[in-house]
Amino acid sequence: MQSMTKFTFAALVAASAFALPGLASAAALDQFKSFVASTQSAKGEFTQQQLGKSKSGKATPASSGSFVFARPGKFIWTYQKPYEQVLQADGETLYIYDKDLNQVTTRKLGNALGSSPAAILFGSNKLEENFTLSEAGARDGMEWLNAVPKAKDTSFEQISIGLKGGVPMAMELKDTFGQTSRLTFTNFQRNPQLGAQQFKFTAPQGADVVNQ
């Protein structure tokens, strides 16, 4: 599902000021479990880039935007460049707003997160029910963790998570077609104060609403 692929993005970055104490050089799995257990909400910015070239031989342009989430299943993932799109969930319903089309697509969230990369950020803390986790060594100044979905019907073959100082700083998403996208994260704030109506979606005036 293309829209779910986009918002999978789903991990975060942190400045050292937000690092979890004592995890600067810990193994990726230990850092990740501590991050998940201690982070109920977060917000920040992201950049998403497909690694390598497209089938046409051209480099895929990067996209960027911001995110905010609260476990379980509440989030706003906003693409700002090169086009505007919002993926938002209130814990029960997923809303996808395409500004160019002025259209909102809705679907029940249900188990849609499941074994998708979004579950790492927005789902419950029971990640090992849906993923097989393993250490993947160090590179690019980060400790890496591989997460392989246990479900066979997911569109992702493997999710790699780069951590430093106790927080995710990058994710690499390898789909079943062999393509890999990388997300990097900045301006991360862990457990910010969020308003009660933060995730309530209101369709823009005049937008077509399509229920799936």
Side-chain angles (χ1 to χ4, degrees), residues 67-125:
F67 64 86
V68 57
F69 78 83
R71 297 181 190 273
K74 296 180 179 180
F75 59 86
I76 305 172
W77 187 267
T78 304
Y79 286 92
Q80 297 164 339
K81 295 178 181 180
Y83 54 86
E84 295 184 48
Q85 186 183 52
V86 177
L87 296 98
Q88 183 166 332
D90 57 11
E92 296 182 357
T93 303
L94 171 66
Y95 303 88
I96 305 168
Y97 172 58
D98 189 308
K99 184 175 181 180
D100 289 342
L101 298 177
N102 198 26
Q103 177 177 289
V104 177
T105 302
T106 73
R107 58 174 61 96
K108 288 295 183 183
L109 194 61
N111 294 322
L113 296 182
S115 294
S116 74
I120 292 172
L121 281 185
F122 315 130
S124 70
N125 292 348

Side-chain angles (χ1 to χ4, degrees), residues 14-26:
S16 57
F18 297 104
L20 300 180
L23 291 176
S25 58

Side-chain angles (χ1 to χ4, degrees), residues 12-188:
L12 314 163
V13 83
S16 57
F18 297 104
L20 300 180
L23 291 176
S25 58
L29 188 55
D30 290 338
Q31 292 190 54
F32 184 63
K33 287 183 176 180
S34 294
F35 169 78
V36 171
S38 63
T39 305
Q40 295 303 310
S41 62
K43 63 181 181 179
E45 298 172 354
F46 70 90
T47 300
Q48 182 174 339
Q49 176 75 61
Q50 183 174 313
L51 301 183
K53 296 182 179 180
S54 65
K55 292 181 180 180
S56 64
K58 297 180 179 180
T60 304
S63 55
S64 61
S66 62
F67 64 86
V68 57
F69 78 83
R71 297 181 190 273
K74 296 180 179 180
F75 59 86
I76 305 172
W77 187 267
T78 304
Y79 286 92
Q80 297 164 339
K81 295 178 181 180
Y83 54 86
E84 295 184 48
Q85 186 183 52
V86 177
L87 296 98
Q88 183 166 332
D90 57 11
E92 296 182 357
T93 303
L94 171 66
Y95 303 88
I96 305 168
Y97 172 58
D98 189 308
K99 184 175 181 180
D100 289 342
L101 298 177
N102 198 26
Q103 177 177 289
V104 177
T105 302
T106 73
R107 58 174 61 96
K108 288 295 183 183
L109 194 61
N111 294 322
L113 296 182
S115 294
S116 74
I120 292 172
L121 281 185
F122 315 130
S124 70
N125 292 348
K126 300 177 181 179
L127 292 173
E128 289 177 289
E129 291 183 4
N130 293 314
F131 296 93
T132 299
L133 305 177
S134 62
E135 297 285 348
R139 59 183 170 90
D140 301 332
M142 294 173 277
E143 296 291 333
W144 287 82
L145 171 76
N146 286 340
V148 177
K150 293 181 178 180
K152 302 301 181 183
D153 57 351
T154 178
S155 59
F156 288 90
E157 181 178 300
Q158 179 176 283
I159 303 150
S160 299
I161 306 160
L163 300 106
K164 184 176 181 180
V167 293
M169 298 186 72
M171 291 182 75
E172 291 180 355
L173 314 173
K174 183 179 180 181
D175 64 26
T176 53
F177 298 100
Q179 296 181 321
T180 301
S181 296
R182 179 165 178 157
L183 295 101
T184 56
F185 306 92
T186 53
N187 298 326
F188 171 76

